[in-house]
Amino acid sequence: MSSAEGAKKRKVQHACVMCRRRKVQCDGDKNTEKKCSTCVANNFDCTWAERAKRGKRRSRVTKAYVESLESRLEQMERLLANVYPGGITSQELDIHTDHGNAPETHITSVSPRPIVTRKAMIGPAALRSDDPTSPSNGPESSDEEVDTFNLKLSDSLRNMTLNPGHHRFFGKSSGLAFVQQAIDLKTEHTGEQRHNMRDIFYRRRSEFLNRYLEDIPNQPDDPPFTFPEPDLARQLIDLYFTYTNSVSPLLHQPTFERKYADGLHIRDPAFGAVLLLVCAVAAPWCEDSRVLLPGSGAEHHAGWQWFEQVQSVKKTLLGPPCLEDLQMHCLSSLYLQGTSSPQACWTVVGIGIRLAQDVGAHRRKVYNTRLTVEDELWKRAFWVLVTLDRTLSAGWGRPCAIHDEDFDVDLPVVCDDEYWEHSDPEQAFTQPPEHPSTAAFFIAFIKLTQILAFALRTIYSINKSKMSLGFVGQKWEQRIVSELDSALNEWFDSLPDHLRWDPNIQDPIFRLQSCTLYA
């Protein structure tokens, strides 16, 4: 080696952990334990992992690797401290650190469900629960790998539930996400106390609303609801769950019956409005003359005296929407379809979908991992809005308010209302195998409307949309029609036996459901 070559700076043969991770040049020295400039500038611990030796190795786990895991665990604990201010103790996790045995961890919470990317597909395969591409199965979506913003905006993991009084949904592109990232970056470099944009948002919003309401003159309280007579109300409730809820399963009958028997409609205006709309929707099925609008004998006005008492849009746009708000929009749309103003249904459903997105009801991650009655009611309300949006959009020749790629919420559980609750929590939401489920109809109907939505976005879309989707050239319409035909055949083959049309069906509910699907 010449003297000139010897004077050259020796190349670092082994970079530190952080430089290898960032794929940057490392000027540190492992032998002299000299820290590299990258670690010094960022105040990192400059460590070197053991390099893998060639040949046969007894173990792949090195001491440096274990130390690296411990360092990452400490960082995760600090992140959890921001999300869970109360802290998580080793007693809560029941972690045993006996070096003679492998550590055992018993955590009461359940791990989050995997999130998958919805593929551009049509037909039953896109939503079938046992399909590898269904929302309940498949690889983790790249869209969710970096989606930690909602955790940072939450006071604790408990806020990641459908509690509209404490949770509003904000996506990654929102202004709050941008400001939160800027605050985190400033905190990392200055060491100042970290602020949560969620707290700032709600505090400022509350101050604004309080000041706004103070400037508004006192408005008279809404007049009390006028409910139908008890015997008529009982008749209308039975008709609703027989003819309407069996094909649009919005409500859970045992829960509704308990609330009604307890007189909650007298004390809670939200549930009172739901009851009035239930009576209005069921009115066309009732032969009692009291359902007709006083002074008008027109049958298409049946139930209007109860519908007009509910102003579902009056207060929901300022305050956080609740479950009853979504149910009111579903019921209002169902009622308006049979009136002289059916065109209003499409607008009402669109508002309901926006309210559902406001609280994140369209995202799987806001629901509990264990099935609950309230979560299933939220999912039912959302899916009823989606199916109404698709069918009404097709009927009026208008675009849908929401598309498959905009949500990833699971399908409603295939379990009849009477099996949702059980004294043994492990047996809740368990449909007896010998009893075909009436809830299977709604799953089949959702898949059918998905095919309808695909037709709206392809065959019936405007030319600009067709060009953006690549539907150009010759014979593309024949190809789309062929795909739709195949999807319909696959959907038909997937129908359970009790939903296949047979004029000799004995069960009136199954007969109504089968007729609805085939129609």
Side-chain angles (χ1 to χ4, degrees):
M1 180 182 297
S2 64
S3 59
E5 292 177 346
K8 290 182 179 180
K9 185 177 180 180
R10 293 185 59 189
K11 181 180 179 181
V12 177
Q13 299 297 327
H14 186 27
C16 68
V17 174
M18 294 306 301
C19 290
R20 290 184 65 187
R21 186 176 301 172
R22 295 189 171 195
K23 293 182 174 60
V24 298
Q25 186 177 2
C26 180
D27 56 3
D29 192 338
K30 175 183 178 182
N31 297 327
T32 60
E33 298 184 355
K34 174 188 174 183
K35 298 181 66 174
C36 67
S37 58
T38 301
C39 294
V40 172
N42 295 278
N43 197 22
F44 293 146
D45 292 334
C46 195
T47 58
W48 282 264
E50 295 291 339
R51 301 193 67 176
K53 298 180 180 180
R54 297 183 180 274
K56 186 176 181 180
R57 292 178 294 176
R58 293 179 177 270
S59 175
R60 293 181 180 271
V61 181
T62 63
K63 179 180 179 182
Y65 177 70
V66 174
E67 292 176 350
S68 175
L69 288 179
E70 292 177 348
S71 176
R72 294 173 63 183
L73 179 61
E74 292 177 358
Q75 296 178 10
M76 182 59 67
E77 289 176 347
R78 288 194 293 269
L79 290 175
L80 282 175
N82 294 332
V83 179
Y84 196 166
I88 305 177
T89 64
S90 59
Q91 290 79 8
E92 290 176 322
L93 296 178
D94 193 16
I95 297 179
H96 307 285
T97 56
D98 184 7
H99 298 285
N101 301 305
E104 298 179 359
T105 305
H106 304 282
I107 305 179
T108 56
S109 62
V110 185
S111 60
R113 302 179 183 180
I115 308 297
V116 301
T117 302
R118 287 178 172 264
K119 297 184 178 180
M121 59 191 306
I122 61 176
L127 287 174
R128 193 185 303 124
S129 60
D130 58 350
D131 191 89
T133 60
S134 70
S136 300
N137 304 292
E140 189 174 28
S141 169
S142 60
D143 178 64
E144 297 297 332
E145 291 177 355
V146 295
D147 191 8
T148 59
F149 170 65
N150 285 292
L151 290 177
K152 289 185 178 181
L153 288 185
S154 301
D155 295 330
S156 68
L157 292 175
R158 289 169 296 190
N159 282 342
M160 297 301 294
T161 58
L162 279 173
N163 185 356
H166 301 85
H167 175 72
R168 305 295 281 272
F169 183 82
F170 300 99
K172 292 181 295 183
S173 64
S174 67
L176 266 71
F178 178 77
V179 176
Q180 183 68 67
Q181 292 171 359
I183 290 177
D184 292 343
L185 186 63
K186 178 182 177 182
T187 302
E188 180 180 348
H189 285 79
T190 63
E192 296 179 357
Q193 182 180 1
R194 181 180 182 276
H195 298 283
N196 195 317
M197 271 304 300
R198 178 188 174 90
D199 296 335
I200 298 175
F201 172 80
Y202 282 117
R203 184 172 63 252
R204 297 288 175 84
R205 179 178 177 275
S206 177
E207 294 173 356
F208 166 77
L209 286 178
N210 290 336
R211 192 178 303 112
Y212 172 76
L213 294 176
E214 288 175 358
D215 296 336
I216 297 179
N218 293 331
Q219 300 292 329
D221 295 335
D222 294 331
F225 290 144
T226 302
F227 298 99
E229 292 81 355
D231 63 316
L232 180 58
R234 179 71 269 168
Q235 185 180 358
L236 292 171
I237 292 173
D238 293 339
L239 289 171
Y240 170 82
F241 282 102
T242 299
Y243 293 107
T244 303
N245 209 68
S246 57
V247 293
S248 294
L250 175 67
L251 305 177
H252 180 235
Q253 186 170 4
T255 300
F256 184 89
E257 296 283 5
R258 280 197 303 268
K259 292 181 178 180
Y260 176 69
D262 189 47
L264 184 63
H265 58 287
I266 304 297
R267 307 187 304 272
D268 183 5
F271 180 72
V274 171
L275 174 61
L276 285 174
L277 289 175
V278 165
C279 295
V281 171
W285 299 99
C286 184
E287 297 181 357
D288 195 311
S289 60
R290 289 177 293 177
V291 302
L292 300 178
L293 184 65
S296 171
E299 294 183 355
H300 62 271
H301 288 158
W304 183 264
Q305 63 271 33
W306 303 309
F307 171 81
E308 67 175 351
Q309 298 183 54
V310 180
Q311 302 180 45
S312 57
V313 191
K314 182 176 180 180
K315 298 180 179 178
T316 56
L317 300 182
L318 285 179
C322 62
L323 174 61
E324 287 79 7
D325 291 326
L326 267 63
Q327 293 173 342
M328 281 188 282
H329 282 77
C330 294
L331 293 169
S332 297
S333 177
L334 291 173
Y335 175 77
L336 288 171
Q337 290 184 53
T339 65
S340 57
S341 301
Q343 68 278 0
C345 303
W346 186 75
T347 305
V348 172
V349 169
I351 297 174
I353 289 177
R354 290 299 189 191
L355 294 177
Q357 291 175 314
D358 188 19
V359 294
H362 63 302
R363 299 301 305 274
R364 182 190 295 134
K365 62 186 176 182
V366 304
Y367 293 90
N368 295 301
T369 53
R370 180 181 290 273
L371 294 175
T372 64
V373 173
E374 183 178 4
D375 278 2
E376 282 302 311
L377 286 173
W378 276 98
K379 285 195 290 186
R380 278 190 172 188
F382 175 77
W383 279 111
V384 169
L385 287 170
V386 170
T387 55
L388 286 172
D389 180 45
R390 291 168 175 173
T391 54
L392 291 171
S393 296
W396 290 101
R398 300 172 181 175
C400 295
I402 192 169
H403 304 291
D404 282 335
E405 60 270 21
D406 298 328
F407 57 89
D408 59 3
V409 63
D410 289 331
L411 293 171
V413 62
V414 184
C415 181
D416 292 345
D417 288 3
E418 57 266 30
Y419 304 114
W420 279 23
E421 299 169 305
H422 197 278
S423 56
D424 182 5
E426 297 298 328
Q427 299 185 32
F429 293 96
T430 302
Q431 179 77 19
E434 65 275 10
H435 296 293
S437 174
T438 58
F441 160 83
F442 194 47
I443 306 301
F445 186 65
I446 290 174
K447 296 177 181 180
L448 184 59
T449 60
Q450 187 183 35
I451 301 175
L452 176 63
F454 180 81
L456 291 176
R457 299 190 67 185
T458 53
I459 297 178
Y460 298 105
S461 62
I462 61 176
N463 292 332
K464 187 176 181 180
S465 298
K466 295 175 183 176
M467 294 178 61
S468 63
L469 294 174
F471 299 141
V472 294
Q474 298 179 350
K475 298 183 178 180
W476 72 266
E477 288 186 343
Q478 291 87 337
R479 179 170 56 85
I480 294 299
V481 171
S482 177
E483 291 183 11
L484 289 170
D485 184 66
S486 299
L488 284 171
N489 290 332
E490 186 178 354
W491 169 84
F492 179 81
D493 294 337
S494 68
L495 285 178
D497 293 337
H498 68 278
L499 292 179
R500 295 182 179 275
W501 173 249
D502 182 354
N504 298 320
I505 296 177
Q506 299 299 321
D507 191 296
I509 299 299
F510 291 156
R511 188 189 305 117
L512 173 63
Q513 292 179 342
S514 179
C515 182
T516 302
L517 288 176
Y518 279 69

